[in-house]
Amino acid sequence: YAPWCPACQQMEATWESFAKESERLGITVGKVDVTQEPGLSGRFFVTTLPTIYHANDGVFRRYRGSRTLEDLQGYILERKWEAVEPVAGWKSPSSIMMHGMAGLFHFSGWIRQIHNYLTGTLGVHVWVSYAIFILATLLIGLLLGL
């Protein structure tokens, strides 16, 4: 989820109720703010918000059902997750490919922090910051090419 996401805000009360029922259902329920954990959004290939995954014994399945409390509980109690195709091995959050994707998302967050530091703290104009990143990209490319 993300705090600015209207669909996430709309589902928040339902998700909290589902989390309160987690012990009775024999599951653990959690939520991750993708603005605070960008690496996880890369690892789980989050393209829409909110995104719900069911994980059991290292097998991940993306929940695409209705977002009501009854349907979420039914998904677990009636074991509907067994009929859902697991996430493909190469796209699994535990795969090497998605580990690399998480690294890219962390790197992009680091670049954004540098940009915010240059523009916010040092008062550098936005286009100057872009120019610095362009030059850094070209220089790194030249050095790696040598």
Side-chain angles (χ1 to χ4, degrees), residues 57-70:
D57 296 329
V59 178
F60 296 88
R61 291 174 171 86
R62 186 162 176 190
Y63 177 78
R64 297 182 189 270
S66 172
R67 306 293 172 91
T68 66
L69 180 59
E70 295 77 24

Side-chain angles (χ1 to χ4, degrees), residues 24-124:
R24 182 181 70 80
L25 297 170
I27 60 172
T28 301
V29 175
K31 66 180 184 178
V32 176
D33 180 350
V34 296
T35 63
Q36 298 297 313
E37 299 291 338
L40 283 178
S41 66
R43 182 177 295 268
F44 282 85
F45 205 65
V46 174
T47 56
T48 59
L49 293 173
T51 299
I52 301 172
Y53 276 95
H54 174 266
N56 188 22
D57 296 329
V59 178
F60 296 88
R61 291 174 171 86
R62 186 162 176 190
Y63 177 78
R64 297 182 189 270
S66 172
R67 306 293 172 91
T68 66
L69 180 59
E70 295 77 24
D71 287 331
L72 290 167
Q73 291 173 337
Y75 186 77
I76 300 302
L77 292 172
E78 298 167 21
R79 299 179 70 89
K80 292 179 182 178
W81 54 270
E82 291 177 334
V84 175
E85 187 74 27
V87 175
W90 67 274
K91 284 174 64 176
S92 173
S94 58
S95 72
I96 292 172
M97 177 91 141
M98 291 296 113
H99 182 72
M101 184 73 86
L104 287 174
F105 275 65
H106 278 294
F107 183 65
S108 69
W110 183 68
I111 289 173
R112 183 180 42 206
Q113 287 177 343
I114 292 171
H115 173 72
N116 289 339
Y117 176 75
L118 290 172
T119 58
T121 305
L122 298 181
V124 174

